[in-house]
Amino acid sequence: MAPVCICFGLRNSECLALRWSDVDWLNGLLRVERGIVEQNIDDVKTDGSRKSLAIAGELLERLKVWKQNTQFPAGGDWIFAIPSKLGRLPYSYTGFWLELDRAGKEAGIGHIGTHTLRHSYRMWIDAVGTPIGVQQKLMRHADIRTTMNIYGDAASADMRGAHGKIVQMALRPE
């Protein structure tokens, strides 16, 4: 689940609500159609969140491997179906959060929340030079101010790099 969340910037509720039928294997697209909160299926958070997203080839291959290895590979099955519920439900938000937090602590990173992945995605798309309008679309925000203000913290290394370039321009003019 974590790689899918971080590669698309999905909200946890959207990732948990993915079904195999949401993957368009031929065109390499993932349809974000619904969310699931406290095991209740509902609409996505906003109308702008309901989108089809391009899947990079490497991630598409990983999804194929997961589909081949899961107990629940049918089109209507949850991509992240919970075996203890015989695939009738996806893993819970709390279960995912606890496992992610445990993995972060075990890796020496410390606490990792599920929304951390979404914030990391935003910083990464910014770090690779993605125009802000494209970032808004990738994040599926209705208002660009959300992309800029709530998810707008630049990574420290990016800020240091930008500062270094400015200092070079100011102190070493050519």
Side-chain angles (χ1 to χ4, degrees):
M1 286 185 274
V4 171
C5 283
I6 200 154
C7 287
F8 288 109
L10 294 180
R11 297 172 182 93
N12 185 38
S13 60
E14 297 164 342
C15 184
L16 292 169
L18 292 172
R19 296 183 187 268
W20 288 115
S21 58
D22 295 327
V23 180
D24 179 344
W25 300 100
L26 294 175
N27 295 307
L29 296 171
L30 179 71
R31 287 182 299 277
V32 179
E33 298 279 329
R34 69 196 74 73
I36 189 164
V37 176
E38 296 179 8
Q39 300 301 60
N40 294 308
I41 303 165
D42 204 353
D43 286 333
V44 288
K45 186 174 178 181
T46 67
D47 288 336
S49 296
R50 186 180 323 278
K51 295 273 187 229
S52 287
L53 306 169
I55 307 173
E58 184 177 346
L59 183 58
L60 191 62
E61 287 303 315
R62 288 184 183 218
L63 285 172
K64 284 179 186 176
V65 170
W66 177 246
K67 187 173 182 3
Q68 292 166 352
N69 290 300
T70 184
Q71 298 173 32
F72 310 103
D77 288 340
W78 304 106
I79 292 178
F80 302 108
I82 188 166
S84 65
K85 298 292 182 184
L86 303 174
R88 290 189 298 264
L89 289 172
Y91 281 92
S92 70
Y93 178 94
T94 305
F96 179 48
W97 177 81
L98 290 171
E99 185 59 24
L100 189 62
D101 190 55
R102 183 202 60 75
K105 288 175 182 169
E106 190 175 292
I109 298 170
H111 170 72
I112 301 174
T114 55
H115 218 64
T116 302
L117 302 174
R118 188 162 164 81
H119 281 271
S120 295
Y121 174 76
R122 165 56 169 85
M123 287 191 335
W124 287 352
I125 59 176
D126 191 47
V128 298
T130 308
I132 191 66
V134 175
Q135 291 182 37
Q136 176 193 4
K137 289 177 178 26
L138 288 169
M139 294 291 295
R140 294 165 299 114
H141 288 146
D143 190 331
I144 199 163
R145 290 176 295 187
T146 303
T147 308
M148 294 174 64
N149 298 335
I150 296 174
Y151 290 84
D153 291 337
S156 298
D158 293 335
M159 292 178 0
R160 184 177 303 277
H163 173 70
K165 289 176 184 175
I166 298 302
V167 169
Q168 284 181 355
M169 287 173 24
L171 301 181
R172 291 188 236 155
E174 292 181 21

